Amino acid sequence: EIVLTQSPGNMSLSPGGGATLSCRASQNVNNNYLAWFQQKPGQAPRLLIYDASTRAPGIPDRFSGSGSGTDFTLTISRLEPDDIAVYFCQAYGTLYRTFGQGTTVELK
Amino acid sequence: EVQLVESGGGLAQPGGSLRLSCAASGFTFGAYTMNWARQAPGKGLEWISFITPSGDHAEYTDSVKGRFTISRDNAKSSLYLHMNGLGDEDTAIYFCAKGHSFDSWLTDFWGQGTLVTVSS
C-alpha cells in the first residue's frame, strides 16, 4: 500500500506570491501517475494536474506540477484569493489510488 | 458540459443499507471508467470503488469489500453504489467521479456529492 505524505499541512501566503506544495510517496509511483486536486470549501475536488506535470484542460498556467519517482511538487504562482483551498495529491494506477492528507492554502 | 449528480444519501441505521445513484450527462457514459470516493466530515479523500466501462470488472478498497457493490446502467447513463452493513465509519460525503478514459484509473471530473450519515 503506497502512502502519500503532503507537506506542509497548512500554508498562509500573501496574494501575488508563490506556493510550493510537496507530496512524497512511500514507494515509487509507477509511470509518475500522480495527480493534484483542488478542493474549495463545500465543493467537489477539481483535477489540476495529472501524470505529475500535465495540466488538466482549463487550468491556468499559474499551476504547475513537477517531480518523479517518489517526490512530487505542485507550484502555484501569482496567488489569487480564488486559490484558497485544500490541495490533495493522488497516486493512481493498477495497485493503488491513494490520496495524500492534503495541504490547506490560506491567504494572509 | 459534463455533469454528475449524486443522490440517495441520507440517514441510515448502523447495519442498514442505502443505494446511491449518480446521473451522468455531457459525455458518452459507456465509454469511461467510473468511480466512487468519499470524504468523512473534516477529513481527506478516500477512493472506494472503480468499475470498467462495460461493468464487467470492479474493484474496492479493503474497508468496503463484501459490503458495497458498484454497478452501472449505460443505457441510463447512471452509476450506483449499493451499501450494506453500514457502520459509523461510513459516514461521509460520497462522490461519483468520471474516469479519464476507457481504461484509466485517473478521475477527471467529480460530482458535488451526497451525504451519508450512519447513526442510531
Side-chain angles (χ1 to χ4, degrees), chain A residues 37 39 44 50 93-94 97 99, chain B residues 39 45 59 105-107 110-111:
Chain A
F37 291 85
Q39 187 178 30
Y50 64 96
T94 305
R97 298 109 182 125
F99 288 92
Chain B
Q39 187 170 36
L45 298 168
E59 296 195 8
W105 295 105
L106 173 69
T107 56
W110 295 47

Side-chain angles (χ1 to χ4, degrees), chain B residues 42-107:
Chain B
K43 302 297 185 183
L45 298 168
E46 178 186 26
W47 169 84
I48 56 173
S49 188
F50 160 97
I51 190 167
T52 52
S54 65
D56 63 345
H57 179 72
E59 296 195 8
Y60 303 89
T61 193
D62 286 348
S63 62
V64 309
K65 275 180 188 175
R67 300 189 300 123
F68 291 9
T69 303
I70 191 172
S71 63
R72 64 191 296 162
D73 185 336
N74 288 344
K76 295 182 178 180
S77 295
S78 292
L79 180 72
Y80 305 100
L81 186 68
H82 301 254
M83 304 187 295
N84 296 320
L86 288 165
D88 294 346
E89 70 278 10
D90 297 315
T91 293
I93 297 173
Y94 284 74
F95 296 99
C96 163
K98 170 185 168 289
H100 186 55
S101 70
F102 73 96
D103 64 350
S104 178
W105 295 105
L106 173 69
T107 56

